[in-house]
């Protein structure tokens, strides 16, 4: 995409707004996913990356969404809350006056609210039992599959096809509610284990000891000092393996954005 650098600059505008809001209200957040890799490996964006991901502990996550609704001008920002405003388990803060078509978009969002966004994932408490964590993980995959099904996702993978078909069970509201309860049942209980749900990661990259996150460290990201997990190396290694190794050149491509309109930005 010829406009990648422009898109990255608008994403920086959004993360600056988020960072200022979090600092003002004492909200803890961390760079996540490829954004956290970029901070370690490139001092900013992975050169071909077209998004920014952050994550927050549950209490901060819900407080942040509420503060955004109360303090950010509604004519400039749209708060898209996970499991309420769309079927995915994470949220987005979108910049109005822009427009983006994303490979994983949901058709239920009005066009005026489809602005350039930053993804906000939850860090929630997890079971101490290995079996309990396996059950949480399975139910999260069911919720993700249901979300993908509702978005019209198609795949050649037989396993994914089976999960998409099985997710039809979540059309039954009590079953959907049960899955959500299993995944988030420890939200208000400090267990010493945490999980990042709503992500397309393997089991090993989903669950962590709580102190892996802890008090944020900071890294340079395009000239900004932004927070990362206290043990960011452990977080990234457990999730991605040797994250400092560049992927094959064929994989160094934009993965999400199909079309973008920057409006006056």
């Amino acid at each position: 995409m010829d406009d990648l650098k422009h898109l990255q600059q608008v994403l920086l505008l959004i993360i600056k707004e988020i960072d200022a809001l979090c600092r003002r209200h004492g909200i803890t957040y961390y760079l996540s996913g490829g954004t956290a890799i970029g901070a370690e490996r490139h001092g900013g964006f992975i050169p071909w990356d077209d998004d920014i991901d952050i994550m927050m502990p549950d209490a901060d996550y819900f407080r942040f969404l509420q503060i955004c609704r109360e303090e950010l001008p509604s004519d400039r920002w749209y708060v898209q809350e996970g499991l309420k405003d769309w079927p995915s388990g994470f949220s987005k803060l979108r910049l109005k006056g822009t427009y983006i078509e994303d490979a994983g978009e949901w058709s239920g969002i009005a066009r005026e609210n489809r602005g350039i966004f930053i993804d906000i994932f939850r860090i929630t408490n997890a079971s101490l039992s290995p079996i309990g964590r396996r059950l949480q993980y399975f139910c999260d995959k069911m919720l993700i599959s249901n979300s993908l099904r509702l978005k019209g996702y198609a795949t050649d993978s037989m396993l994914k096809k089976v999960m998409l078909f099985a997710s039809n069970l979540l059309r039954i509201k009590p079953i959907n509610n049960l899955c959500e309860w299993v995944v988030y049942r420890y939200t208000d209980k400090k267990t010493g284990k945490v999980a990042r749900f709503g992500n397309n990661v393997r089991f090993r990259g989903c669950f962590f000891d709580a102190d892996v996150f802890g008090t944020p460290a900071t890294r340079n990201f395009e000239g900004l000092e932004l927070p990362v997990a206290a043990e960011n190396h452990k977080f990234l290694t457990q999730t991605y393996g040797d994250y400092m190794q560049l992927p094959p050149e064929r994989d160094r491509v934009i993965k999400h954005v199909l079309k973008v309109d920057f409006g006056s930005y």
Side-chain angles (χ1 to χ4, degrees):
M1 186 178 71
D2 295 336
D3 292 323
L4 179 58
K5 289 294 184 184
H6 191 169
L7 175 60
Q8 290 174 346
Q9 289 304 307
V10 176
L11 290 169
L12 286 175
L13 182 155
I14 302 174
I15 196 63
K16 286 178 184 177
E17 188 78 32
I18 288 173
D19 186 66
L21 199 65
C22 289
R23 288 176 184 271
R24 210 158 51 237
H25 291 277
I27 291 172
T28 296
Y29 81 97
Y30 314 89
L31 300 184
S32 185
T35 312
I37 293 176
E40 296 288 359
R41 195 169 69 198
H42 304 277
F45 286 103
I46 295 174
W48 53 91
D49 206 359
D50 56 2
D51 67 352
I52 287 180
D53 295 332
I54 65 173
M55 52 189 170
M56 297 178 178
D58 265 331
D60 293 283
Y61 172 88
F62 288 111
R63 193 156 67 94
F64 174 77
L65 295 179
Q66 184 61 35
I67 288 169
C68 283
R69 293 191 188 96
E70 293 173 353
E71 295 194 11
L72 297 183
S74 60
D75 60 345
R76 189 180 183 208
W77 300 98
Y78 172 61
V79 181
Q80 182 180 342
E81 184 171 346
L83 301 178
K84 288 191 176 180
D85 299 318
W86 71 318
S88 291
F90 60 95
S91 297
K92 297 173 182 282
L93 182 63
R94 291 182 177 267
L95 180 63
K96 288 188 174 182
T98 65
Y99 175 80
I100 194 164
E101 287 185 10
D102 183 83
E105 190 57 274
W106 182 55
S107 60
I109 301 296
R111 193 184 193 285
E112 62 268 22
N113 291 330
R114 293 191 183 192
I116 295 169
F117 59 84
I118 284 180
D119 288 329
I120 308 159
F121 291 89
R122 296 170 63 174
I123 302 171
T124 196
N125 293 314
S127 173
L128 284 174
S129 160
I131 295 175
R133 291 196 294 275
R134 286 287 178 186
L135 186 58
Q136 282 183 285
Y137 186 75
F138 173 76
C139 286
D140 181 54
K141 289 304 180 189
M142 284 288 285
L143 291 170
I144 292 173
S145 297
N146 186 51
S147 172
L148 291 173
R149 180 180 58 79
L150 291 171
K151 294 174 188 176
Y153 177 77
T155 178
D156 293 327
S157 165
M158 183 55 65
L159 177 59
K160 290 181 179 179
K161 285 181 178 179
V162 169
M163 289 298 292
L164 287 169
F165 179 76
S167 74
N168 278 286
L169 287 170
L170 273 64
R171 294 173 183 266
I172 304 170
K173 190 65 174 175
I175 295 178
N176 185 85
N177 291 344
L178 177 61
C179 274
E180 289 186 17
W181 178 81
V182 169
V183 172
Y184 298 111
R185 63 178 296 194
Y186 300 100
T187 295
D188 298 322
K189 301 173 183 177
K190 292 190 181 298
T191 62
K193 289 283 186 182
V194 296
R196 296 182 312 133
F197 292 122
N199 289 267
N200 183 26
V201 295
R202 295 182 182 275
F203 183 83
R204 186 171 182 270
C206 183
F207 296 93
F208 301 86
D209 292 332
D211 57 10
V212 167
F213 297 99
T215 302
T218 59
R219 296 290 187 273
N220 173 64
F221 191 92
E222 304 293 342
L224 304 174
E225 287 296 313
L226 297 181
V228 296
E231 298 183 38
N232 204 40
H233 173 70
K234 186 173 182 179
F235 161 62
L236 291 174
T237 301
Q238 188 172 321
T239 306
Y240 302 104
D242 184 7
Y243 62 90
M244 295 300 286
Q245 179 69 39
L246 288 171
E249 193 164 345
R250 66 178 180 275
D251 294 334
R252 301 176 199 175
V253 295
I254 294 171
K255 295 182 178 179
H256 306 103
V257 176
L258 304 176
K259 178 182 177 182
V260 62
D261 180 349
F262 296 103
S264 61
Y265 296 92

